[in-house]
Amino acid sequence: MKLLFSIFYFLFSFSNPDISEVRKLYPNAASSEATSKEFLLKLSEVTTESNKTLLAYKGSSITISSKFAKKISDKIKNFKEGAKLVELAIESEPNSVEIRLIRLSIQENVPAIVKYNKNKKEDAMFILSHYNEQSNVLKAYLKNFILQSKSFSSDQKQTIK
């Protein structure tokens, strides 16, 4: 019985987080160091073998953590590590609207000096062109992002239902 309980506990404690929980945390993850750490911790068990959307969120959590790093070298290292995971997720699932949203949100919010901004137009157009194909839950999430995003014109924002 103890062995069964131990196996159950091990599997339960190292499972991937629920995507809806991650979506709730993401919009405010960069608002404070504490929120950033909570977001990073929530995704700590995600690996390159995990769901690719969760992998992209993990990458974003690492890029966000770079904002709060004390040393410049740590900022650069964390940002590169996080961006690499996001790009890996995109390579694995290039047709994922949510992964594109994650990359776009990062590229919108990093300083231009970082030079991680080459996909903004491409991702914005991809999101718009595939918006209507998404579930209602994902549409609501996308809509919230689009309406506050700098990458969409006011005309484009008005087309979102």
Side-chain angles (χ1 to χ4, degrees), residues 4-142:
L4 184 60
F5 178 75
S6 296
I7 292 170
F8 176 75
Y9 177 78
F10 179 78
L11 292 174
F12 181 72
S13 65
F14 290 104
S15 64
N16 284 321
D18 179 60
I19 192 76
S20 62
E21 292 174 28
V22 173
R23 286 177 182 153
K24 286 178 189 172
L25 289 172
Y26 186 59
N28 298 314
S31 64
S32 72
E33 187 171 4
T35 310
S36 170
K37 285 180 179 178
E38 177 186 356
F39 188 56
L40 187 63
L41 182 62
K42 178 66 113 177
L43 294 154
S44 62
E45 298 302 322
V46 173
T47 69
T48 56
E49 303 305 313
S50 299
N51 171 292
K52 298 311 177 211
T53 303
L54 289 175
L55 180 63
Y57 279 115
K58 180 174 185 165
S60 73
S61 74
I62 297 168
T63 63
I64 291 168
S65 75
S66 71
K67 175 181 177 180
F68 301 103
K70 304 300 182 228
K71 297 181 195 172
I72 292 289
S73 60
D74 290 340
K75 287 180 180 286
I76 293 168
K77 180 179 107 353
N78 289 351
F79 186 84
K80 286 182 177 181
E81 178 186 346
K84 183 178 177 182
L85 292 178
V86 172
E87 292 301 324
L88 179 62
I90 295 251
E91 286 175 26
S92 298
E93 293 186 16
N95 295 321
S96 170
V97 172
E98 190 165 4
I99 295 173
R100 298 286 191 114
L101 174 143
I102 295 164
R103 179 169 69 182
L104 177 58
S105 70
I106 294 168
Q107 290 187 357
E108 278 187 353
N109 290 292
V110 296
I113 196 166
V114 176
K115 296 184 179 171
Y116 186 64
N117 58 8
K118 66 180 179 185
N119 307 101
K120 289 191 321 188
K121 288 182 182 176
E122 168 194 343
D123 288 345
M125 293 308 298
F126 186 88
I127 290 166
L128 281 178
S129 65
H130 295 282
Y131 175 82
N132 288 326
E133 302 163 12
Q134 307 310 306
S135 69
N136 288 337
V137 170
L138 190 51
K139 276 185 186 178
Y141 187 67
L142 293 168

Side-chain angles (χ1 to χ4, degrees), residues 134-153:
Q134 307 310 306
S135 69
N136 288 337
V137 170
L138 190 51
K139 276 185 186 178
Y141 187 67
L142 293 168
K143 181 179 180 179
N144 287 336
F145 174 76
I146 291 167
L147 293 178
Q148 62 77 41
S149 172
K150 301 171 252 174
S151 295
F152 299 91
S153 70

